[in-house]
Amino acid sequence: ADPKISGYDIEYISMLYERSTDELHFGIACYVICGDADDNGDPGTTSQELVLLGGIDYDNFAQTESFLIALDLGGSPVGGPDGALDVMIGYPAGESFDSEPLPCSSLTGGEPLDTRCFDLYLYGSTRIAQPQFQFKWDSNSAVLPHPVVDRNPNPTSTAPHLEWTIREFNTLRAKLGAPPIAADGTTPWSVNLLAFAGSF
């Protein structure tokens, strides 16, 4: 293991809109196994080297471990990005101060958040908080819930990266005031994106 490389170091992010299914796909590639904080080959165990540094490598992206992608899709006068993040997808480390309890709280039984909390959320309005604490749930929102898929919630050495899908992407765009993307691919569109990976 290289002590200078962590499973929270993102190498690159790929994004693909699949017109035939109206799905937006994300691939997050890490230099080692995503979520393997100490690069010991197992994202759920803590090496002695990390213990000596005072760290813990939690299983299932639990506690303060987080991966996320936040999107700015709509809100401008012409229907495109307006510079304010709208929604986020991924594993929360905590909810924003202006959030209702996350729906996954019933699954975790009050325990720390983990991969069971993967979902699409609003981006919180708490400016002082880091992105992993901006996950916002609002049961009165016209945006939530929205269907998403976590295609690899347990990365391994043979499948080390994360793959997420937002389904019904044009429906999400409409909810946020952005124009639809034509099925024939003739519609130009843009998005502002923020990505975060870490454990704090």
Side-chain angles (χ1 to χ4, degrees):
D2 186 338
K4 299 184 292 298
I5 297 178
S6 165
Y8 289 94
D9 292 324
I10 296 175
E11 183 177 7
Y12 62 87
I13 295 175
S14 298
M15 183 173 70
L16 171 69
Y17 175 62
E18 191 170 358
R19 297 194 305 271
S20 62
T21 59
D22 190 29
E23 293 179 329
L24 185 65
H25 305 286
F26 297 100
I28 303 177
C30 303
Y31 287 97
V32 295
I33 301 172
C34 287
D36 187 5
D38 49 11
D39 187 24
N40 70 342
D42 185 345
T45 63
T46 306
S47 64
Q48 186 61 27
E49 290 83 357
L50 185 57
V51 170
L52 293 174
L53 292 172
I56 301 176
D57 193 359
Y58 295 101
D59 197 16
N60 297 322
F61 298 95
Q63 299 280 352
T64 58
E65 296 187 352
S66 179
F67 268 83
L68 66 90
I69 293 175
L71 304 172
D72 167 21
L73 291 168
S76 77
V78 294
D82 62 356
L85 294 167
D86 299 306
V87 295
M88 58 202 307
I89 183 174
Y91 310 128
E95 69 262 18
S96 65
F97 291 131
D98 55 347
S99 174
E100 298 174 9
L102 304 187
C104 63
S105 299
S106 61
L107 300 176
T108 62
E111 296 298 319
L113 309 180
D114 57 26
T115 52
R116 290 172 291 180
C117 296
F118 174 84
D119 212 329
L120 184 89
Y121 297 86
L122 301 176
Y123 193 87
S125 59
T126 309
R127 295 185 180 275
I128 61 173
Q130 293 180 308
Q132 72 270 34
F133 301 112
Q134 292 280 21
F135 288 80
K136 178 180 178 179
W137 189 265
D138 181 354
S139 58
N140 295 315
S141 166
V143 177
L144 304 176
H146 192 85
V148 292
V149 180
D150 185 357
R151 300 189 181 278
N152 189 29
N154 299 295
T156 64
S157 58
T158 55
H161 308 308
L162 298 175
E163 299 175 15
W164 301 337
T165 297
I166 299 177
R167 289 181 166 163
E168 301 173 23
F169 185 54
N170 269 327
T171 300
L172 177 62
R173 290 176 60 83
K175 293 176 181 178
L176 297 170
I181 301 171
D184 61 6
T186 58
T187 306
W189 64 282
S190 61
V191 58
N192 293 329
L193 183 150
L194 178 147
F196 173 88
S199 178
F200 299 96

